[in-house]
């Protein structure tokens, strides 16, 4: 780990020197800066409530797929076949570990690595594989005992706490893939789409059923790919998440406890990086749509040590800004348990949450601490212990004037429907000053972010809701 970090620094210096002479370009963390590469690399993954597979959907294979190609003399040379995309549990492929063949969870992990090997692009200082479309179903059948509690196997319990319509509510979706094609006008286009409602036909309209779609399109070789997203909830599937992620090309990305593939050829570390992205929200998805204009994920232990895959002590750390203006601040002077213990200003002044004259309550939607942290400051809310493979911590922000120094939305409505913009967010700087839990007296964790993503989490909606948005120009730039 230390050696690798050292190498990163050396490569960075070399690149900075080279670019310093030419001046214009800035060093990037992603394989495809600005989403401009003609030869696209994009993959798909679907997760159940605790970020696993559970059971595959009939005829769909393991919920991992990819669309990767090179453009040469006006034709697309695809690298992943539909047979590869349909690979499902019980079917061997090159490199598959024998123990994973008949286990749906382990099989999906290895399929992602296999698809990554087909898509991989050699680059300096590291190769990279793909952008990742992530889809998650928030239903949890608590009588199944399928999801561990803070990483520990837990017994089943009665229904009521999480949405679930009954047996099978944690199913994986149907996935239809339109492999990227080059049309006569020189436009390249492809998509992943489908529904969780097995047995329904999305060709017959979407009334009463869930739906997701990510369509990518490139009109000109000097322009960005545009990723158009659509997500619809239904009565049976009221809690759905759809994100476009730049994940680590190896190691653990946010929310995983296994080796992943992705787009971050160098892992950005706070404070020295920014995220550039164009976001156009066309339809918000209703009052429960927690639209994240940048969600970042990392992992470290409560003693500050980096994660090593031990789900009993690894803790996923997330921070995200929710830009839906209908999202209220749950943190307030009368609900201190939903606020982090303190806020740190850009000039590094700490403001405690009991300092009611100065604490920016409106800047925090919700803070929750890892449930297995031993030295929590009371009052405190603890995070849901079931919805990740291990314990988690969340710092959820809202647009507020105090974030202005970082280029983040400063008022409700910024970046929302009718306010499409290209953002340059000082994600590294802001994330260096957020409160995250650590045991007292332990050396501060390195805040290395293994995933950076955008999209929405429609959080248990009692109505069928539709969200639609496009993302383009995504880049992570070292500063
Ligand atoms: C996997 O399952 C198949 C079919 O049920 C069985 O024939 C095979 O022995 C199993 N393999 C392993 C490694 O468990
Ligand atoms: C791309 O090139 C076309 C002409 O080929 C030009 O009209 C357009 O402005 C360019 N776009 C960008 C983003 O540079
Ligand atoms: C930090 O900034 C705040 C206003 O944001 C100001 O009141 C305070 O005096 C500053 N502190 C220092 C040490 O500069
Ligand atoms: C506010 O909280 C801090 C940190 O927990 C504590 O040291 C301080 O005594 C509290 N102040 C008041 C007025 O309660």
């Amino acid at each position: 780990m230390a050696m690798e970090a050292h190498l990163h620094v050396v490569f960075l210096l070399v690149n900075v020197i080279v670019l310093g002479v030419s001046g214009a370009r800035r060093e990037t963390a992603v394989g495809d800066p600005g989403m401009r590469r003609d030869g696209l690399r994009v993959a798909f993954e679907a997760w159940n409530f605790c970020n696993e597979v559970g059971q595959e959907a009939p005829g769909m294979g393991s919920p991992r797929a990819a669309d990767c190609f090179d453009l040469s003399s006006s034709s697309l040379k695809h690298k992943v076949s539909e047979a590869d995309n349909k690979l499902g549990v019980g079917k061997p492929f090159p490199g598959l570990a024998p123990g994973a063949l008949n286990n749906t969870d382990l099989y999906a992990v290895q399929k992602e690595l296999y698809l990554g090997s087909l898509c991989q692009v050699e680059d300096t200082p590291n190769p990279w594989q793909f952008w990742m479309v992530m889809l998650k179903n928030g239903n949890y059948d608590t009588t199944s005992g399928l999801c561990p509690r803070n990483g520990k196997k837990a017994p089943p319990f009665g229904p009521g706490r999480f949405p679930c319509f009954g047996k099978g509510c944690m199913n994986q979706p149907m996935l239809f893939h339109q492999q990227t094609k080059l049309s006569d006008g020189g436009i390249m286009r492809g998509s992943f789409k489908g529904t969780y409602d097995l047995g329904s036909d999305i060709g017959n309209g979407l009334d009463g059923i869930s739906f997701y779609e990510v369509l990518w399109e490139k009109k000109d070789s000097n322009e960005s790919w545009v990723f158009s997203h659509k997500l619809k909830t239904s009565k049976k599937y009221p809690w759905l998440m759809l994100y476009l992620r730049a994940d680590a090309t190896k190691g653990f990305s946010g929310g995983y406890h296994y080796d992943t593939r992705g787009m971050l050829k160098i892992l950005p570390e706070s404070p020295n990086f920014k995220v550039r992205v164009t976001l156009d929200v066309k339809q918000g998805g209703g009052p429960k749509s927690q639209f994240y204009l940048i969600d970042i994920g990392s992992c470290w232990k409560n003693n500050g040590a980096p994660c090593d895959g031990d789900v009993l002590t690894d803790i996923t750390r997330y921070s995200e800004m929710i830009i839906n203006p209908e999202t209220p601040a749950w943190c307030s002077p009368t609900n201190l348990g939903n606020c982090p213990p303190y806020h740190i200003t850009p000039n590094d002044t700490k403001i405690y949450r009991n300092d009611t004259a100065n604490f920016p309550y409106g800047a925090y939607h919700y803070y929750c601490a890892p449930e297995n942290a031993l030295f929590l400051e009371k009052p405190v809310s603890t995070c849901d212990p079931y919805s990740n493979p291990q314990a988690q911590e969340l710092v959820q922000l809202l647009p507020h004037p105090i974030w202005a120094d970082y280029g983040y939305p400063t008022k409700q409505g910024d970046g929302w429907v009718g306010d499409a913009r290209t953002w340059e967010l000082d994600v590294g700087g802001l994330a260096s000053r957020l409160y995250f839990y650590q045991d007292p007296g332990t050396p501060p964790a390195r805040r290395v972010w293994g995933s950076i993503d955008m999209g929405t989490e429609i959080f248990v909606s009692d109505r069928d809701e539709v969200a639609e948005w496009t993302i383009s120009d995504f880049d992570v730039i070292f500063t």
Side-chain angles (χ1 to χ4, degrees), residues 90 98-99 101-102:
L101 181 67
N102 284 355

Side-chain angles (χ1 to χ4, degrees), residues 45-48 51-52 64 134-137 245 256:
E45 64 182 353
W47 288 1
N48 72 9
N51 303 359
E52 305 282 3
R64 299 288 183 275
M134 184 202 128
L135 178 70
K136 177 167 172 173
N137 168 12
R245 303 176 54 133
Y256 301 83

Side-chain angles (χ1 to χ4, degrees), residues 283-290 324 326 416 458 461 463 465-467:
Q283 200 174 340
K288 301 293 180 62
S289 174
Q290 301 193 343
N324 184 347
E326 291 184 84
W416 197 237
I458 303 182
S461 179
R463 288 192 318 222
E465 296 282 9
V466 180

Side-chain angles (χ1 to χ4, degrees), residues 139-179:
N139 282 346
Y140 182 29
D141 180 358
T142 58
T143 66
S144 71
L146 208 55
C147 295
R149 178 183 184 120
N150 296 317
K152 207 181 278 179
K153 182 106 185 100
F157 57 95
R161 193 163 145 199
F162 298 99
C164 178
F165 56 78
K167 266 217 158 354
C169 71
M170 295 175 77
N171 65 292
Q172 292 294 338
M174 292 202 274
L175 169 65
F176 304 102
H177 175 207
Q178 186 68 61
Q179 200 178 45

Side-chain angles (χ1 to χ4, degrees), residues 125-318:
N126 291 304
W128 53 275
Q129 296 86 24
F130 31 57
W131 302 105
M132 181 59 88
V133 171
M134 184 202 128
L135 178 70
K136 177 167 172 173
N137 168 12
N139 282 346
Y140 182 29
D141 180 358
T142 58
T143 66
S144 71
L146 208 55
C147 295
R149 178 183 184 120
N150 296 317
K152 207 181 278 179
K153 182 106 185 100
F157 57 95
R161 193 163 145 199
F162 298 99
C164 178
F165 56 78
K167 266 217 158 354
C169 71
M170 295 175 77
N171 65 292
Q172 292 294 338
M174 292 202 274
L175 169 65
F176 304 102
H177 175 207
Q178 186 68 61
Q179 200 178 45
T180 312
K181 283 198 189 83
L182 177 63
S183 70
D184 290 344
I187 296 175
M188 293 184 281
R189 190 184 288 126
S191 69
F192 293 125
K193 67 180 165 188
T195 174
Y196 277 100
D197 293 78
L198 305 178
S200 66
D201 181 354
I202 55 174
N204 284 342
L206 305 179
D207 270 1
I209 63 168
S210 62
F211 180 70
Y212 67 91
E213 178 177 54
V214 179
L215 183 149
W216 49 91
E217 184 176 63
K218 197 174 202 282
K219 295 203 163 114
D220 190 289
S221 74
N222 65 354
E223 285 175 14
S224 171
W225 285 92
V226 177
F227 288 82
S228 301
H229 301 71
K230 186 167 177 176
L231 182 66
K232 179 179 179 294
T233 58
S234 67
K235 212 185 203 74
K236 285 169 79 182
Y237 302 93
W239 184 3
L240 297 176
M241 291 146 255
L242 180 64
Y243 310 124
L244 189 64
R245 303 176 54 133
D247 285 337
T249 54
K250 60 181 189 293
F252 311 119
S253 306
Y256 301 83
H257 58 109
Y258 44 77
D259 200 19
T260 69
R261 294 293 178 260
M263 185 48 76
L264 293 172
K265 64 177 180 175
I266 310 172
L267 291 185
E269 179 168 358
S270 283
N272 297 315
F273 70 95
K274 288 188 175 176
V275 173
R276 193 181 136 86
V277 66
T278 302
L279 172 68
D280 184 356
V281 182
K282 303 195 187 275
Q283 200 174 340
K288 301 293 180 62
S289 174
Q290 301 193 343
F291 198 102
Y292 303 135
L293 174 57
I294 302 302
D295 167 61
I296 53 176
S298 185
C299 192
W300 60 82
K301 295 178 189 284
N302 283 337
N303 66 6
C307 289
D308 58 9
D310 175 3
V311 290
L312 296 178
T313 51
D314 285 356
I315 318 276
T316 314
R317 320 279 173 165
Y318 294 112

